[in-house]
Amino acid sequence: MIRCKLLHRSPMPCRIIRTLSTDGYKSIGSFHSDNVEELMRLSDEDYIAPELPFEKGSVKIPTRSPVAAPFANSGRFSDSYSHLDRSQWSFLNHGAFGLATDVGLSRAHSWRMCLESQPLRYFDRYLLNHLAHSARSLVDFVATENKDKMRESIALMSNVTGGMNAVIGGHARFHGNSSKVFSFDINYGSNKKMCQTYHGQENAIEIPFEEDFLPLLRKIQSSSNEDNDYHLQATDVFLSAFDSTIQNLIRGGKHSKPSLAG
């Protein structure tokens, strides 16, 4: 079979930049791009970030607020959501149904136009290099040390739910059907369902935090001062809830929560 590539010479929205060497397939499958694993292993001194195949645009990137605030409704960031209907709604930016910023929408649109103008070039030349660059940028953002090690283990996910599904499902497949998984009863609903699906009702154990430990956490929060480290005390509360649940299982005692039966 002869593989041929269609060349189109008409102007395209996606500008052509210097591409990588075409001396053979070096990455995943049949892609003319650098090896992703090698890109992730390169030191900051040796790594060269890929150029964007389109103009950056004029959308202003907002500065981060020094204090926590309702992001979408904050006056400081109101210009970042020009498409949001504020005439009838006061929007609470929720993790499951949050809206994109203007700069995010603009950049996503530029990538879509780049893809649609020449799909082969997008997948064959640009995609993997820019995915590697995104992963490296994410590590630089969240890590202050051991960046090289973290780059080896990071994976980009389309959303948090998909990531949790991979972790919980992988845990069940690796440890078998008899393994137990613990989660707080204030956990996100989809996580609870995944724990029960992969590990079964008896092995998906909820930690009764809301009724038994949340009041204590609120009490600590209301009485915290400069002499008391709230975050440290809060960590102790969560660990105490976890330890209490495990001890209850070991003793074989019955708890008021049905999730702890057995």
Side-chain angles (χ1 to χ4, degrees):
M1 178 182 292
I2 299 177
R3 177 181 294 178
C4 61
K5 297 183 179 181
L6 178 64
L7 299 178
H8 185 63
R9 298 182 179 277
S10 62
M12 303 177 186
C14 183
R15 62 187 176 94
I16 300 177
I17 62 173
R18 179 183 64 83
T19 58
L20 299 163
S21 171
T22 58
D23 56 356
Y25 300 137
K26 296 183 293 182
S27 190
I28 304 170
S30 55
F31 290 92
H32 277 103
S33 57
D34 279 350
N35 186 292
V36 173
E37 293 184 359
E38 292 180 0
L39 289 175
M40 296 302 293
R41 292 193 187 106
L42 287 174
S43 64
D44 291 335
E45 292 75 18
D46 296 329
Y47 177 72
I48 300 176
E51 300 177 50
L52 284 174
F54 46 80
E55 299 298 330
K56 291 185 178 180
S58 59
V59 180
K60 183 179 180 182
I61 300 178
T63 56
R64 295 178 62 193
S65 175
V67 295
F71 190 82
N73 287 326
S74 172
R76 179 170 183 151
F77 297 102
S78 59
D79 293 339
S80 302
Y81 300 91
S82 62
H83 53 285
L84 178 63
D85 182 7
R86 299 175 184 275
S87 62
Q88 302 182 63
W89 308 98
S90 179
F91 184 79
L92 300 179
N93 192 3
H94 188 272
F97 308 104
L99 71 164
T101 60
D102 289 348
V103 66
L105 286 175
S106 176
R107 181 59 58 84
H109 176 71
S110 296
W111 274 115
R112 291 189 188 100
M113 293 305 298
C114 178
L115 163 62
E116 298 298 340
S117 66
Q118 226 292 18
L120 177 60
R121 183 176 60 209
Y122 170 83
F123 287 105
D124 198 47
R125 312 285 177 164
Y126 297 150
L127 177 61
L128 295 182
N129 284 4
H130 283 274
L131 284 176
H133 181 61
S134 296
R136 290 181 64 99
S137 300
L138 178 60
V139 171
D140 292 339
F141 179 75
V142 301
T144 57
E145 56 185 16
N146 296 326
K147 290 185 179 181
D148 293 339
K149 184 177 181 180
M150 183 173 289
R151 287 184 186 130
E152 291 286 336
S153 58
I154 193 171
L156 299 177
M157 307 298 298
S158 58
N159 55 67
V160 176
T161 303
M164 291 301 299
N165 182 68
V167 172
I168 297 172
H171 177 271
R173 288 187 292 271
F174 183 82
H175 293 284
N177 296 330
S178 61
S179 63
K180 297 184 183 297
V181 60
F182 294 81
S183 64
F184 292 100
D185 56 0
I186 56 175
N187 191 18
Y188 197 57
S190 64
N191 291 339
K192 295 180 180 180
K193 292 181 179 178
M194 286 184 282
C195 289
Q196 294 170 359
T197 299
Y198 285 117
H199 292 81
Q201 292 285 347
E202 293 186 357
N203 294 323
I205 302 168
E206 283 192 4
I207 301 173
F209 187 85
E210 183 174 10
E211 181 177 335
D212 298 346
F213 292 91
L214 186 59
L216 177 59
L217 186 64
R218 289 172 174 167
K219 182 178 179 180
I220 294 175
Q221 185 177 21
S222 62
S223 60
S224 61
N225 52 56
E226 296 180 357
D227 298 330
N228 298 325
D229 188 334
Y230 167 73
H231 296 287
L232 183 60
Q233 294 184 53
T235 301
D236 289 339
V237 172
F238 278 95
L239 291 176
S240 297
F242 184 53
D243 181 70
S244 175
T245 303
I246 293 178
Q247 293 300 322
N248 184 77
L249 287 174
I250 294 176
R251 291 192 301 266
K254 293 184 179 180
H255 196 275
S256 57
K257 296 288 184 179
S259 60
L260 294 182

